[in-house]
Amino acid sequence: KGRTLAIGVPGAFTPTCSERHVPGLVANAERLRRSGYDHIVCIVASDPFVTNAWARQVDPKGWIRFVSDGNLNFAHALGLTTHQQKLFLGDRSERYMLIIDNGTIETVRVEKQITDYSCTRAEAFVIDGV
């Protein structure tokens, strides 16, 4: 229940996710909550054990909730899977962002490439002045 900002990432410990995308989400978590998001979630295309280890590393204070989509069930249901053979990643989730209000997806943004994080960066969802 409430308003949720969720990002989907192609994998734990991947360079863009670990160095830029998720750290921005963590750094802006308080501002996002003040902007009206009750829940902040990161959906990870990695198994639950790797997802938990990565979450402890990138978000040691537990600002956001990390959820494993290791079998890509959620990404498949959304139609947001990609095959990344050139990056040696195989089948993965696209990098995406969802705004969910009381269980209804209101907004979906998908990056053109999984190495991009322009339309899904946390700063785009912070209301100025909060």
Side-chain angles (χ1 to χ4, degrees):
K1 200 144 186 140
R3 194 159 176 82
T4 301
L5 176 67
I7 63 167
V9 297
F13 296 105
T14 57
T16 301
C17 300
S18 294
E19 297 166 14
R20 293 180 293 281
H21 195 203
V22 174
L25 188 68
V26 173
N28 284 285
E30 277 189 81
R31 290 178 65 208
L32 288 163
R33 283 192 180 19
R34 289 194 308 266
S35 294
Y37 297 101
D38 302 297
H39 312 281
I40 304 167
V41 179
C42 181
I43 303 163
V44 187
S46 295
D47 69 69
F49 311 105
V50 170
T51 297
N52 288 335
W54 183 57
R56 286 191 303 273
Q57 180 179 320
V58 295
D59 184 17
K61 293 185 178 179
W63 289 104
I64 58 181
R65 181 174 180 200
F66 288 78
V67 178
S68 168
D69 188 21
N71 290 328
L72 300 176
N73 293 337
F74 190 66
H76 279 295
L78 293 172
L80 294 175
T81 58
T82 181
H83 186 74
Q84 295 293 322
Q85 187 166 343
K86 289 181 184 179
L87 296 174
F88 299 97
L89 296 174
D91 291 334
R92 292 292 169 141
S93 162
E94 295 278 4
R95 185 179 306 277
Y96 61 89
M97 178 282 310
L98 306 171
I99 295 177
I100 305 164
D101 193 17
N102 291 316
T104 301
I105 298 173
E106 291 184 337
T107 304
V108 179
R109 291 187 182 178
V110 182
E111 298 290 353
K112 290 183 190 266
Q113 298 178 29
I114 67 166
T115 53
D116 294 340
Y117 70 106
S118 58
C119 74
T120 60
R121 63 178 2 142
E123 296 83 356
F125 306 99
V126 172
I127 297 171
D128 288 333
V130 296

